[in-house]
Amino acid sequence: MPDRDGSGPHRVTAPVDDTLDDRPRSPSDGPLRALVRIRRAPPLSPSAPAGEQCELCTVPITDEHDHLVDVESRSLMCSCRGCYLLFTPNGAGGNRFRAVPDRYVSFDDFTLSPAQWDSLQIPVSVAFFFRNSSLDRVAAFYPSPAGATESLLDLEAWDEVVAANPVLASMVPDVEALLIRTSRGGGPECHLVPIDICYELVGLIRNAWKGFDGGQDAGDQLDDFFARVHARSEPAGAVAT
């Protein structure tokens, strides 16, 4: 998987501390102690196949794997299924790492006027929004040839969007995002998606971008990406929040 900016493999910026077992115990560090013991255990096979590994316990994983968000460093981490489940809402993993869910929801009746879009200060037609729990605010990013670029979000304008679309209150902080694509010829296309998909889009656009406006290839990549998201999404009315 690409980094948040689509530039290459991502790695843990704050690895599990192997000295944790030597410190006084506290109720909150039990899951991390378990991960330390997993990492210290000998490998199951000395000839494990090369490829991606879980960035917590180093178990080999396939190309199709889960992701975690490190809330402190704002980074995505590749995860095996076991570590992923540890950090789901029903898991025991605490608050630093959060499992990225697999929920895709489409909003066919999403309310967003051209004036509201302009007030969000997004200079292009595509952006994604998510709540940063560390800063306790909504962040807005859009894909660009430089990667994921943050836009200074007018919080009053965002509050107006939420008031017109109360379903946004169900968006899980840090791991889910509202992905919006506007069109001059019609209403916006809006989806609630896992945050890692947004950074996949950033990588696609960055790699395909040519010239001043991105070029035909970037436009085709964008069309194909939204077609795949739409195919995976359930209508908002059919999903329990």
Side-chain angles (χ1 to χ4, degrees):
M1 286 293 299
D3 271 331
R4 292 182 58 176
D5 64 359
S7 61
H10 43 269
R11 291 292 177 263
V12 185
T13 57
V16 176
D17 188 346
D18 286 337
T19 68
L20 187 63
D21 274 346
D22 301 326
R23 302 177 186 175
R25 294 180 178 272
S26 71
S28 63
D29 64 21
L32 290 183
R33 291 180 185 277
L35 291 174
V36 169
R37 288 193 291 272
I38 291 172
R39 293 188 62 180
R40 287 177 174 175
L44 296 178
S45 169
S47 58
E52 290 198 82
Q53 295 179 326
C54 173
E55 296 187 62
L56 284 179
C57 71
T58 71
V59 167
I61 54 179
T62 64
D63 290 341
E64 295 293 327
H65 55 259
D66 298 303
H67 290 98
L68 302 171
V69 167
D70 184 331
V71 176
E72 293 183 4
S73 67
R74 311 306 313 167
S75 60
L76 281 172
M77 302 167 59
C78 298
S79 171
C80 69
R81 190 62 178 172
C83 290
Y84 174 85
L85 293 175
L86 185 66
F87 296 102
T88 59
N90 295 325
N95 293 322
R96 174 174 174 178
F97 303 111
R98 294 186 180 176
V100 178
D102 191 28
R103 183 167 67 147
Y104 290 77
V105 182
S106 61
F107 304 108
D108 294 333
D109 58 351
F110 196 84
T111 301
L112 182 69
S113 68
Q116 285 178 315
W117 178 256
D118 290 341
S119 69
L120 294 175
Q121 304 180 51
I122 307 297
V124 295
S125 63
V126 177
F128 59 95
F129 306 81
F130 68 93
R131 178 164 290 280
N132 183 322
S133 63
S134 297
L135 301 178
D136 193 26
R137 67 175 177 84
V138 175
F141 287 83
Y142 58 90
S144 76
T149 302
E150 184 169 9
S151 176
L152 297 179
L153 183 61
D154 185 326
L155 294 182
E156 183 177 346
W158 174 255
D159 289 342
E160 291 181 4
V161 174
V162 174
N165 304 275
V167 70
L168 293 183
S170 73
M171 189 167 63
V172 182
D174 303 306
V175 293
E176 286 189 321
L178 178 69
L179 178 63
I180 299 180
R181 184 185 188 185
T182 62
S183 170
R184 294 181 180 276
E189 183 176 358
C190 304
H191 302 274
L192 184 67
V193 297
I195 190 69
D196 53 359
I197 293 299
C198 297
Y199 292 117
E200 177 183 330
L201 172 61
V202 169
L204 288 173
I205 296 302
R206 180 177 184 179
N207 291 333
W209 193 280
K210 291 182 176 61
F212 179 76
D213 61 355
Q216 184 65 42
D217 190 27
D220 291 343
Q221 292 274 15
L222 192 60
D223 290 341
D224 179 67
F225 177 86
F226 270 87
R228 289 187 283 115
V229 168
H230 184 78
R232 297 190 64 172
S233 297
E234 296 186 69
V239 178
T241 59

